[in-house]
Amino acid sequence: MMKLSPRPLYPVVGALLWAFVMSIMTPPMASARTVLQLEDGVVLSFADGDIDIRSGSGELYDVEISEDGEVTLIADYLNIDADGTIGEDDWYINDLLMKNALVPAAGLFINRVEVRDLLVGALDDETMADAQGVVTEQSLFRMTNMSLEAEEALISIDEISSLPIRLGEPIPGNIVVTEGGLAVKGMTVMPLEQTRGRNPLVDKFAERGLNAVSLDFILMTTTDMTETGMYVGYEFVSDIHDLAAIEFAIRFAVDEDVYARLLPLLAAPEDNAMALLGLSGAIAVESSRLVIDDSGLGDIAFAVAAEEEGVSEAEYRSMARMLAADGVGATFPENVARLLPPIEAMLKQGGRLTATATPDMPVPLTSVIGFAMYPDLAISQLRIALTHQP
């Protein structure tokens, strides 16, 4: 039985912890601030507190990390409770709390960072080995009250957090991650004043009284182990407040024996190209769903496009429907009568467009080659259906 790795959580955590992990490698020198001079020009300093050099456990105040003389991270407070040896495979964070963190180069501020129950020593493991023990059902990664100044907008986020992790034991001693994911709440994008008059999309938002766009989204994965096999599902749900909602879900049936044999080879895909092809044969689409709920975003997009083309919005929508008719007719000649009406309705008036795939039996990914040559085959084998609601 294969074991699934919760590696989607690793890059986010690793980016925040890496500078700190690399920084505490030598004993402190006596000074008004405690300073740890490190290799490769990395320096950690703090005004007060203490730290265990071996495990990295400690409580630090007024923390600053710099590299080659440039400050890379500033934090008011950092507290780590860890086991093992920092930088080694056994380094395990029981709890981490960082307050008022600033990454100057990125213009990123994070009010609070929390990490709990994570085997950080596995973060730099470039192999796709068994990750059992990396997380528990109490594992957590959370950042709250973030702000970022991008090139043309101010971005704030109330919270980015890992979703609750669920573990399963389909057979004794074989623990797998069966549920996990990431949630982003209260993400607000506010265009800077200088973008007005230069960005048509921003101008159209402003005309409708929208000086900022807010959204939430969730990305999650689930794994079901049954007597008939293993099933892996992915789901993305996004709510763009007062403008649109998008939902996408797909569920795969996996030949776990084939997958388990190929998984080690995928650690070096450039040397094992055939493993990728074999993997596509071990995974099949069981079902899929896409829902687009347009409650105003389409109007704004069509208004911008129509203005750029120098026509009215109604004329542009008509042009879009004609292009859609040509495209669907040329690509899916045998199914144009079923597919085109809901697409035209969506382009004409917005509303909700739903696309589902419910094949009679799972369809291997290798069939995609045949679908590219004969697209109508995808409609029949995947049993794709489109519906529209005003």
Side-chain angles (χ1 to χ4, degrees):
M1 186 72 68
M2 64 165 290
K3 298 174 182 177
L4 300 182
S5 167
R7 298 187 63 84
L9 297 176
Y10 298 174
V12 180
V13 181
L16 287 169
L17 299 179
W18 181 245
F20 180 73
V21 171
M22 292 299 295
S23 66
I24 42 180
M25 303 296 291
T26 60
M29 300 183 301
S31 62
R33 289 176 61 88
T34 302
V35 178
L36 306 179
Q37 181 68 51
L38 312 170
E39 297 179 0
D40 301 324
V42 179
V43 174
L44 166 70
S45 69
F46 51 93
D48 194 12
D50 58 77
I51 190 166
D52 181 336
I53 299 302
R54 185 189 66 84
S55 69
S57 296
E59 187 176 30
L60 309 177
Y61 296 86
D62 190 7
V63 183
E64 182 178 294
I65 297 174
S66 62
E67 183 173 1
D68 297 328
E70 182 178 351
V71 176
T72 58
L73 177 68
I74 299 171
D76 286 351
Y77 178 79
L78 178 61
N79 191 342
I80 298 180
D81 174 16
D83 294 319
T85 302
I86 191 167
E88 300 297 328
D89 292 343
D90 67 343
W91 194 45
Y92 190 96
I93 288 185
N94 300 304
D95 282 290
L96 178 147
L97 173 62
M98 181 162 53
K99 296 181 181 180
N100 296 331
L102 175 66
V103 182
L108 172 64
F109 172 81
I110 310 171
N111 176 254
R112 187 181 181 93
V113 179
E114 297 174 78
V115 179
R116 184 175 67 228
D117 287 351
L118 182 66
L119 183 59
V120 182
L123 295 179
D124 60 356
D125 183 2
E126 296 181 357
T127 68
M128 300 186 73
D130 172 28
Q132 181 172 322
V134 174
V135 295
T136 72
E137 291 192 342
Q138 287 71 48
S139 294
L140 170 73
F141 174 77
R142 178 188 293 138
M143 298 186 295
T144 56
N145 296 329
M146 305 170 60
S147 63
L148 171 68
E149 183 172 346
E151 184 175 349
E152 294 188 343
L154 294 174
I155 301 173
S156 64
I157 303 174
D158 291 342
E159 180 178 286
I160 298 178
S161 177
S162 58
L163 296 175
I165 293 173
R166 297 289 177 263
L167 302 177
E169 191 171 3
I171 60 176
N174 185 18
I175 300 175
V176 298
V177 177
T178 59
E179 186 175 316
L182 185 73
V184 175
K185 301 177 183 178
M187 180 176 181
T188 301
V189 181
M190 181 181 296
L192 298 176
E193 186 65 32
Q194 57 263 34
T195 61
R196 301 287 174 83
R198 295 192 295 109
N199 189 314
L201 186 60
V202 171
D203 294 340
K204 292 300 179 184
F205 275 120
E207 288 175 8
R208 288 162 170 78
L210 297 172
N211 297 316
V213 176
S214 298
L215 67 152
D216 308 308
F217 66 85
I218 292 176
L219 177 63
M220 67 179 300
T221 179
T222 57
T223 300
D224 296 323
M225 313 296 294
T226 69
E227 293 181 357
T228 59
M230 182 175 75
Y231 299 89
V232 179
Y234 298 93
E235 186 170 1
F236 173 80
V237 179
S238 177
D239 177 20
I240 307 174
H241 300 180
D242 302 319
L243 291 173
I246 300 173
E247 177 183 349
F248 175 71
I250 189 166
R251 180 177 163 94
F252 296 102
V254 181
D255 185 325
E256 53 192 292
D257 292 332
V258 174
Y259 194 83
R261 291 197 302 270
L262 293 175
L263 196 60
L265 300 178
L266 296 177
E270 66 280 3
D271 299 326
N272 299 281
M274 292 303 295
L276 294 175
L277 182 60
L279 186 62
S280 66
I283 301 176
V285 177
E286 189 203 45
S287 63
S288 183
R289 179 179 71 257
L290 172 64
V291 181
I292 301 174
D293 197 341
D294 176 17
S295 55
L297 185 60
D299 289 341
I300 295 175
F302 277 118
V304 171
E307 187 173 290
E308 292 180 347
E309 292 293 329
V311 298
S312 69
E313 184 179 336
E315 289 174 317
Y316 191 87
R317 285 182 181 270
S318 179
M319 292 167 52
R321 294 199 303 274
M322 287 189 292
L323 289 173
D326 291 341
V328 173
T331 307
F332 306 101
E334 297 178 12
N335 291 277
V336 62
R338 295 172 49 218
L339 301 179
L340 188 56
I343 294 176
E344 287 186 319
M346 187 70 172
L347 292 172
K348 183 178 181 179
Q349 65 188 70
R352 175 177 293 184
L353 182 68
T354 302
T356 59
T358 55
D360 293 326
M361 58 185 301
V363 178
L365 293 183
T366 49
S367 299
V368 171
I369 299 175
F371 295 160
M373 299 177 61
Y374 186 31
D376 275 307
L377 184 63
I379 304 300
S380 59
Q381 286 199 4
L382 292 171
R383 291 184 61 205
I384 294 176
L386 287 183
T387 59
H388 175 266
Q389 294 175 289

